[in-house]
Amino acid sequence: MAANPVGTIEINVDGAWDIQDLFHLSESLTESYGYFLPLVAQDEDTRAQLHSIVQAQFWRGDIETRRFGLFLYRQIPKDDGLRIKSFHYSSPGTLILVGILPALLLAARVASKWLDVSEKLFDLYAKIEKYFLKRKNLVKPGRKTEVDDQMGFDLDEARVLLFQLSECLGFDEESTERICAIVGNPVSALKFMVAMCNEARKLSALEREGLLKLPRIGNDNIKVLPPVKALDGRQNTRSGVVVQTRKRRKVKKPGAA
């Protein structure tokens, strides 16, 4: 199995913190790391375990998944967890974290994107909220779900929203396709992307308040890894609903004029 690449990331911090700010930073870093590691963990056993958990949660669960990032973090092998290499508290000061480098870089990139395109993200969030308000059956689907024509249209629209959101966050098309395959289907992937984005948003809020400065990470060389394949070539999943979708021709919805 490939070893996960360990590295460091440096965060500039201001000297005007209180103890609650430190708590919020620790919480946001832990949960963000929990969400991002399933996308980039090179160790296949770790990746397969995290993928299975994510698939089950985001098909049957909803977007308001509290503390799920922390739950994911607790499933990570101890050696792959976050550690503090140094913390120099001053004005300015620095916090150097050690962890799986691609996960650290992804968390920093998505959090900084909130500052760069926040208005666009808020508009997109409104569209996503409207999507699920109109489709309450997809907020928490049952174990048995009929895939009919209407479900096909719903999956298509979720896919469009997923790609719009992932583009805002700096993911390329290949990585977005892999996220969709990891989580199982466009609806689940959209829920996962929103929940992941919510945690990164907490980090961006600390920067907006002037308490820290996240490093600016480019879009290159941070690729989402594909789902782990079983020996028979199928996706390795113990739970959750996997729906394979393809781009559909544009046709009128049933009953449309």
Side-chain angles (χ1 to χ4, degrees):
M1 297 294 177
N4 290 317
V6 176
T8 62
I9 190 170
E10 182 176 308
I11 299 174
N12 295 325
V13 297
D14 187 74
W17 288 43
D18 60 27
I19 194 67
Q20 197 68 19
D21 294 326
L22 187 60
F23 170 77
H24 288 154
L25 175 63
S26 174
E27 184 180 61
S28 298
L29 284 170
T30 301
E31 297 223 25
S32 295
Y33 191 79
Y35 273 109
F36 285 106
L37 192 59
L39 305 181
V40 294
Q42 291 189 12
D43 179 80
E44 292 189 350
D45 289 340
T46 300
R47 204 156 87 245
Q49 178 188 11
L50 295 176
H51 288 182
S52 182
I53 295 169
V54 165
Q55 286 170 3
Q57 175 63 37
F58 287 95
W59 178 246
R60 295 195 297 268
D62 59 22
I63 291 174
E64 297 300 328
T65 306
R66 298 184 184 278
R67 312 295 291 172
F68 185 67
L70 180 59
F71 175 77
L72 281 171
Y73 183 82
R74 288 172 175 165
Q75 315 311 308
I76 297 170
K78 185 177 181 180
D79 290 345
D80 292 339
L82 280 175
R83 300 186 302 280
I84 296 176
K85 183 176 182 180
S86 67
F87 190 7
H88 176 63
Y89 181 69
S90 185
S91 187
T94 57
L95 167 65
I96 299 180
L97 295 170
V98 180
I100 304 307
L101 189 57
L104 291 172
L105 296 177
L106 271 177
R109 188 183 71 188
V110 172
S112 63
K113 285 289 185 180
W114 260 107
L115 298 174
D116 300 336
V117 293
S118 58
E119 186 174 342
K120 186 175 181 179
L121 281 170
F122 280 124
D123 290 342
L124 190 52
Y125 261 44
K127 292 181 182 179
I128 294 170
E129 183 178 11
K130 184 177 180 181
Y131 171 86
F132 283 107
L133 283 174
K134 291 171 61 178
R135 298 166 178 84
K136 295 187 182 298
N137 62 310
L138 295 180
V139 174
K140 291 185 177 181
R143 290 184 177 272
K144 294 183 179 180
T145 302
E146 182 180 353
V147 181
D148 54 15
D149 286 342
Q150 183 57 51
M151 175 64 78
F153 288 116
D154 293 340
L155 290 171
D156 285 346
E157 190 168 342
R159 181 183 172 86
V160 170
L161 292 169
L162 170 66
F163 272 79
Q164 289 176 351
L165 180 56
S166 65
E167 182 182 9
C168 286
L169 302 179
F171 291 96
D172 60 22
E173 288 191 8
E174 180 183 28
S175 291
T176 306
E177 291 284 7
R178 287 178 172 179
I179 291 172
C180 195
I182 288 166
V183 191
N185 58 73
V187 173
S188 298
L190 182 60
K191 294 178 185 179
F192 174 80
M193 184 77 74
V194 170
M196 179 180 68
C197 190
N198 285 343
E199 292 308 321
R201 179 183 174 187
K202 295 176 184 177
L203 289 176
S204 72
L206 292 172
E207 179 166 343
R208 187 176 291 109
E209 293 167 9
L211 296 174
L212 57 80
K213 180 71 173 179
L214 294 165
R216 290 301 185 262
I217 309 298
N219 293 352
D220 297 335
N221 302 321
I222 310 176
K223 293 289 186 180
V224 172
L225 297 178
V228 176
K229 299 293 183 180
L231 293 177
D232 59 5
R234 294 180 299 176
Q235 186 169 332
N236 184 10
T237 175
R238 297 189 297 273
S239 57
V241 176
V242 177
V243 179
Q244 298 291 341
T245 62
R246 298 178 180 175
K247 293 182 179 179
R248 297 157 55 92
R249 291 179 297 172
K250 291 184 178 180
V251 295
K252 293 182 179 179
K253 293 184 180 181

